[in-house]
Amino acid sequence: MPWWSWMIIGAVLLGVELLGVDAAFYLVFVGFAAMVVGLLELSGAGMEVWMQWISFAVVAVVLMVLFRQKLYGMMRGNAVGYETGPAGETVTLTDALEPGHDGRLNFRGTDWTVVNVGSVSIGAGQQARIVAVDGLKLKLEPL
């Protein structure tokens, strides 16, 4: 394949990764691998097509193994409050919530599913403490 086709493939893969809603940083390394093969061809390596594909695969895997976890941690893992989340904070319910039942609550500008994990009901307008976060659910106990 000509060098410019590898560069186009790399640019498309990088663009797809950047446009992705929940970027997991896989296509970045595949895109970089395509660009590395393109640069090798541009520099006059003159590899056969099968060798280009093998080089592409090896470079992509090596880049992912060596750098993905570091980059992902740097981009996502160091946000303030990322590990702890909202556990321990208090919220005011707009609707009553019986023990063991689900409801909806607007918290920090987002609608959440909330679950009353306490043994008594929480009335409308009452405050509750967030005791845990389970995926997209906030587990609440009355104050």
Side-chain angles (χ1 to χ4, degrees), residues 93 96-101 116 118-124 126-127 141-143:
L93 273 79
L97 191 60
E98 296 296 321
H101 287 91
N116 183 354
S119 58
V120 295
S121 64
I122 306 169
Q126 287 186 326
Q127 288 192 334
E141 283 184 347
L143 287 179

Side-chain angles (χ1 to χ4, degrees), residues 3-113:
W3 68 270
W4 52 266
S5 61
W6 285 108
M7 299 303 274
I8 291 171
I9 290 170
V12 168
L13 289 169
L14 289 173
V16 169
E17 182 73 62
L18 292 175
L19 293 175
V21 175
D22 188 21
F25 299 109
Y26 288 106
L27 294 179
V28 167
F29 299 108
V30 178
F32 279 135
M35 290 184 165
V36 166
V37 173
L39 290 173
L40 285 172
E41 284 301 302
L42 179 62
S43 68
M47 294 185 285
E48 297 289 329
V49 174
W50 64 270
M51 189 61 173
Q52 292 176 21
W53 282 102
I54 289 174
S55 300
F56 167 67
V58 168
V59 170
V61 169
V62 167
L63 287 175
M64 264 191 258
V65 168
L66 293 179
F67 299 111
R68 183 189 172 274
Q69 193 68 28
K70 292 175 188 173
L71 179 64
Y72 192 76
M74 199 168 56
M75 299 297 288
R76 297 268 174 124
N78 299 332
V80 175
Y82 183 75
E83 284 98 13
T84 60
E89 294 188 33
T90 58
V91 295
T92 303
L93 273 79
T94 54
D95 299 321
L97 191 60
E98 296 296 321
H101 287 91
D102 293 355
R104 299 293 292 172
L105 174 72
N106 189 304
F107 177 68
R108 293 185 180 170
T110 305
D111 286 331
W112 291 78
T113 300

